[in-house]
Amino acid sequence: MRDHFEVRRGDAAGRIGRLSVPRAGVTVETPALMPVVNPNIRTIPPRELESEFGAEILITNSYIVHSTDDLRERAVEEGLHDLLGFDGAIVTDSGSFQLAEYGEIDVTTREILDFQHEIGSDVGTPIDIPTPPDVGRERAERELEQTEAALRDAEAADTGEMLVNAPVQGSTYPDLREAAAGRADATDLDVFPVGAVVPLMNSYRYAEMIDVVAAAKRGLGRDAPVHLFGAGHPMMFALAVAAGCDLFDSAAYAIYARDDRYLTVRGTEHLEDLEYFPCSCAVCAAHDPEELRGYGDEERERLLGEHNLHVSFAETRRVKQAIRSGNLLELVESRARSHPAMLDGYRALLDHADQLEREDPISKGSFFYLSEESARRPEVRRHHERVTRLNPEGEVLLTEGGIPSGDAYDAAWRVVPPFGPFPRALSETYPLTAEVPDRSDRRAQEAAAEGVRELVEANPGTEFVLAHDDWPASALARVPDRVAIETLGGGR
Ligand SMILES: [Zn+2]
């Protein structure tokens, strides 16, 4: 049991949690966004990240500090918190990125962890190997062994109160990711970054990113805080949180600002293409795009960086509120409509609906049916499982509307796509309180037919009549043959 992370509320696989960071003496509420601070280039001073943006935690690179003489001396002398001017929790990366980029670095995991500890890091990182996507399996396995050797070194190191990351690698092989996560979970390390997903995000391969996260989550316990390493675009926060990620780091706010790119929750805009700012943060309220274009490079970069951070923190808060309100998947659905690749990501998430279903709360505020994808939500799956435990007897009418013929039935149950049949007494229980459109779609009707099938197969001694409202053949084909079918008037 990891007692430094406590899950307070959940929705799908997303959760609001509390990460205790003992060395910093702070508790960070997750999902949390960690701005990346380059110790050499500070677009926005860390003190402002805290005071203006409410950042509770940030991440910086201990390898850059270690390999820059004056930074190293000052970090050893003053400590990292004074060097950066930040009182919250500081996570340090190890130089894995530099290793992947340049092929070698001049420290070992033991040395860099000792150094991170010495300069006062609150969450340290061993030197893992960020294996990129699509490599041969042999390489992925070989590099995973190196990463796991680094985790063993990290376990053996004396790191005091400093929490230590246990990165999960395995490239685009779900089985490797799952096994790696299982082994990382078995260590006494503390935080679990899912590594090397940046190339997937940069090429809009959100579906594969979700598959990688889902695989890692299968190997990790519920008490394992998960960091999606390198994920900094607010467009995908809701999706990644719904898949079970707790921590994000944004270098994007600064990197994008440097190239005049403006982040939104629906994607990225170029400053030169904007006539209006679709945002009401302090920067966008006080300037228009034309004005901003007229500023010098440094001022423009700082203002764009501030906007990018505002929009990122606002989305983090929106995601947290959605978890509290129980409508995180509705938020994911709306974000999924901003780009076809995001829609792929959402569909991939629903491919793991059984996995989500295990963590999704049984009762939430509301369920809005917003698209055909809603028919595949975990709540629908759960209802279909639950319906098999109900045992109506005699002759039972399942109806979308009224009672179609003069016959008397032993019971008349409602049928609501996408859930399917349920006794009227359950009408007021979640998720059957769902708001669904009057114009049902084929996917919802097919899902409802699956519900009918589950109920009928679980009750071989009961007779069923289904009165449907204009279901397509693809839905009716899922209804067992022994069910008598009646058609309601339609009239829509
Ligand atoms: Zn703005």
Side-chain angles (χ1 to χ4, degrees):
M1 190 71 197
R2 292 191 160 79
D3 53 12
H4 62 282
F5 186 63
E6 183 194 353
V7 174
R8 310 278 285 218
R9 291 288 280 267
D11 190 359
R15 59 262 187 100
I16 290 181
R18 288 163 65 87
L19 176 68
S20 305
V21 187
R23 210 177 182 202
V26 299
T27 299
V28 174
E29 188 179 74
T30 63
L33 175 65
M34 308 188 279
V36 176
V37 172
N38 181 328
N40 285 313
I41 314 162
R42 304 196 198 159
T43 314
I44 295 166
R47 203 166 292 289
E48 254 174 63
L49 295 174
E50 204 165 3
S51 61
E52 301 296 309
F53 298 91
E56 297 182 306
I57 184 167
L58 61 72
I59 180 166
T60 192
N61 192 319
S62 70
Y63 184 73
I64 295 177
V65 176
H66 187 267
S67 52
T68 313
D69 288 341
D70 62 318
L71 279 178
R72 185 177 61 239
E73 279 161 30
R74 285 182 56 203
V76 169
E77 212 160 285
E78 302 166 26
L80 201 49
H81 287 81
D82 282 353
L83 175 72
L84 297 181
F86 187 75
D87 295 328
I90 298 181
V91 181
T92 44
D93 197 0
S94 62
S96 302
F97 175 77
Q98 285 72 12
L99 177 65
E101 220 43 18
Y102 311 115
E104 59 177 328
I105 53 175
D106 56 7
V107 290
T108 63
T109 279
R110 288 298 276 270
E111 287 163 352
I112 201 72
L113 275 175
D114 282 348
F115 179 68
Q116 292 172 80
H117 187 256
E118 185 184 3
I119 62 177
S121 169
D122 302 308
V123 185
T125 308
I127 299 171
D128 61 319
I129 313 291
T131 309
D134 314 318
V135 302
R137 186 167 178 106
E138 232 170 79
R139 175 176 165 196
E141 285 175 348
R142 190 176 62 238
E143 294 184 353
L144 189 52
E145 277 169 24
Q146 289 173 266
T147 291
E148 291 182 351
L151 298 195
R152 286 192 292 276
D153 289 347
E155 253 192 308
D158 180 15
T159 47
E161 277 200 314
M162 180 171 81
L163 300 179
V164 177
N165 276 319
V168 175
Q169 299 290 349
S171 184
T172 22
Y173 297 96
D175 61 320
L176 291 186
R177 290 273 186 180
E178 182 175 345
R183 290 189 291 268
D185 194 58
T187 66
D188 63 6
L189 302 178
D190 307 291
V191 180
F192 300 86
V194 177
V197 290
V198 171
L200 294 177
M201 292 186 277
N202 286 348
S203 47
Y204 283 73
R205 292 163 66 183
Y206 291 113
E208 285 154 286
M209 178 196 84
I210 288 297
D211 288 341
V212 161
V213 170
K217 289 288 291 187
R218 286 194 294 276
L220 292 167
R222 283 191 73 178
D223 57 355
V226 176
H227 171 192
L228 190 59
F229 219 117
H233 201 302
M235 176 168 80
M236 43 70 66
F237 288 172
L239 176 67
V241 168
C245 299
D246 307 296
L247 295 163
F248 299 88
D249 60 284
S250 174
Y253 77 94
I255 294 170
Y256 282 50
R258 215 162 297 150
D259 310 331
D260 282 333
R261 284 183 291 171
Y262 178 97
L263 297 180
T264 84
V265 294
R266 298 175 53 82
T268 309
E269 304 283 352
H270 283 266
L271 181 61
E272 61 180 18
D273 299 329
L274 288 175
E275 288 282 321
Y276 310 96
F277 283 141
C279 170
S280 53
C281 80
V283 174
C284 299
H287 305 87
D288 63 34
E290 172 101 57
E291 248 176 277
L292 215 56
R293 284 192 288 268
Y295 288 152
D297 288 350
E298 210 169 297
E299 179 75 349
R300 200 173 67 247
E301 180 180 328
R302 184 178 62 80
L303 290 169
L304 278 173
E306 286 182 7
H307 157 80
N308 288 346
L309 267 184
H310 275 300
V311 73
S312 302
F313 276 102
E315 182 69 356
T316 309
R317 293 191 296 272
R318 193 177 289 114
V319 166
K320 288 202 268 196
Q321 182 59 45
I323 295 173
R324 288 226 153 246
S325 305
N327 55 24
L328 179 60
L329 288 178
E330 279 85 350
L331 179 61
V332 175
E333 289 226 21
S334 70
R335 294 293 176 256
R337 260 59 208 171
S338 62
H339 194 286
M342 287 290 300
L343 185 54
D344 272 335
Y346 180 42
R347 287 176 175 166
L349 182 72
L350 294 170
D351 288 342
H352 302 286
D354 53 343
Q355 198 175 327
L356 301 183
E357 199 269 330
R358 286 195 286 276
E359 299 203 26
D360 194 44
I362 290 179
S363 185
K364 291 190 260 183
S366 57
F367 177 115
F368 279 16
Y369 188 96
L370 297 172
S371 71
E372 291 193 345
E373 282 75 32
S374 302
R376 298 172 58 209
R377 280 178 52 162
E379 294 93 334
V380 175
R381 184 166 300 228
R382 179 180 291 142
H383 177 69
H384 289 173
E385 279 162 19
R386 199 180 285 169
V387 92
T388 63
R389 301 200 294 269
L390 301 174
N391 305 111
E393 288 175 357
E395 194 178 0
V396 178
L397 172 70
L398 312 174
T399 178
E400 278 200 276
I403 295 174
S405 60
D407 290 355
Y409 298 94
D410 295 296
W413 285 21
R414 292 182 64 197
V415 174
V416 176
F419 300 101
F422 55 89
R424 279 167 201 276
L426 290 185
S427 296
E428 297 305 315
T429 57
Y430 186 86
L432 304 169
T433 46
E435 297 282 346
V436 301
D438 286 341
R439 290 165 170 76
S440 199
D441 63 67
R442 185 171 59 86
R443 293 273 179 226
Q445 290 159 337
E446 287 168 2
E450 288 291 342
V452 171
R453 187 179 59 75
E454 296 276 2
L455 175 69
V456 171
E457 287 179 357
N459 292 281
T462 309
E463 279 180 52
F464 291 97
V465 177
L466 170 68
H468 70 89
D469 187 358
D470 206 20
W471 285 9
S474 62
L476 293 172
R478 291 161 199 242
V479 176
D481 290 341
R482 72 180 188 84
V483 176
I485 307 278
E486 298 217 30
T487 308
L488 293 166
R492 287 189 183 130

